[in-house]
Amino acid sequence: MYYCTLVCSFIALAMILALANSFLGNARDPDILKDFLIPTGLDPSNITSQFFTYTGFRELVNVNTTGKTAAIETKASMKEFPALEGQAVSIAALTYPPSGINPPHVHPRAAELLIVLQGVLEVGFVDSTNKLFKQTLQVPDMFIFPKGLVHFQVNTRSDSPAYALGMFGSANAGTVSLPNTVFASGISAEILAKAFKTDLETISKLIAANNITKAA
Ligand SMILES: *[C@@H]1O[C@H](CO)[C@@H](O)[C@H](O)[C@H]1NC(C)=O
Ligand SMILES: *[C@@H]1O[C@H](CO)[C@@H](O)[C@H](O)[C@H]1NC(C)=O
Ligand SMILES: *[C@@H]1O[C@H](CO)[C@@H](O)[C@H](O)[C@H]1NC(C)=O
């Protein structure tokens, strides 16, 4: 309930901030020559307020973190919310289990503003000179992860979940997860062993541990 109230009160602020982010920052989503884009197959006369409404976050009250170690991300990008196409904004709700992490990852097409809704998060990103910028955030602090840089979040509390919203200056920011990209993409163990200066056995363990098919 607490989460829902917070989401409701922050959502307007969140969208304004995401908009500001896309206007002031280096927005790269293409400009459109219409008020909004209508997905192919949908009759323009059938576009109503419903098309501009996203209700998927209602499901957040049912997110179950029991037994999970990684954050659960509920996205509202243009795939889930087609009205966002051409508007250069999107948002994701993050639910962190106790001590849960959002593993190091990159959004190739947008900067991300993260706002903490409940709990205490340790966050960080690494710039292109390999310098780490770390911070501990409490409600309702915000942090910006610059576009395309590796970043992560950790729930610092072991006895309670944490919640945050990530806001993007793209309708389709994309996510490249480092563990998956490196160990679950089919890059050969030989290449990885050389790249990480280790042996095949260690790499095989990492590949097995990061098997997305198995985890699903
Ligand atoms: C438009 O809405 C009408 C009435 O709901 C429906 O019968 C029709 O299939 C819709 N057309 C398209 C192209 O979605
Ligand atoms: C949450 O998930 C755990 C582990 O999968 C399960 O045992 C439990 O019944 C679930 N709780 C609810 C309320 O669905
Ligand atoms: C990943 O898990 C699936 C299902 O258990 C298995 O079929 C597949 O061989 C595994 N892949 C690797 C690279 O271990």
Side-chain angles (χ1 to χ4, degrees), residues 120-194:
V120 177
L121 292 180
E122 183 181 307
V123 306
F125 74 84
V126 181
D127 76 6
S128 60
T129 70
N130 222 24
K131 182 172 177 185
L132 173 65
F133 295 87
K134 259 198 322 180
Q135 189 56 276
T136 302
L137 304 176
Q138 62 183 55
V139 179
D141 295 346
M142 282 204 299
F143 197 79
I144 182 150
F145 302 112
K147 179 156 122 183
L149 298 185
V150 172
H151 60 281
F152 61 89
Q153 301 107 34
V154 185
N155 178 0
T156 62
R157 292 185 175 158
S158 58
D159 60 349
S160 53
Y163 301 98
L165 282 178
M167 299 158 281
F168 305 93
S170 166
N172 187 21
T175 299
V176 175
S177 165
L178 266 54
N180 294 348
T181 298
V182 177
F183 298 111
S185 62
I187 299 177
S188 82
E190 287 75 16
I191 292 173
L192 293 175
K194 281 181 188 166

Side-chain angles (χ1 to χ4, degrees), residues 183-184 186 204 207-215:
F183 298 111
S204 300
I207 288 175
N210 288 283
N211 188 336
I212 302 170
T213 318
K214 214 168 168 178

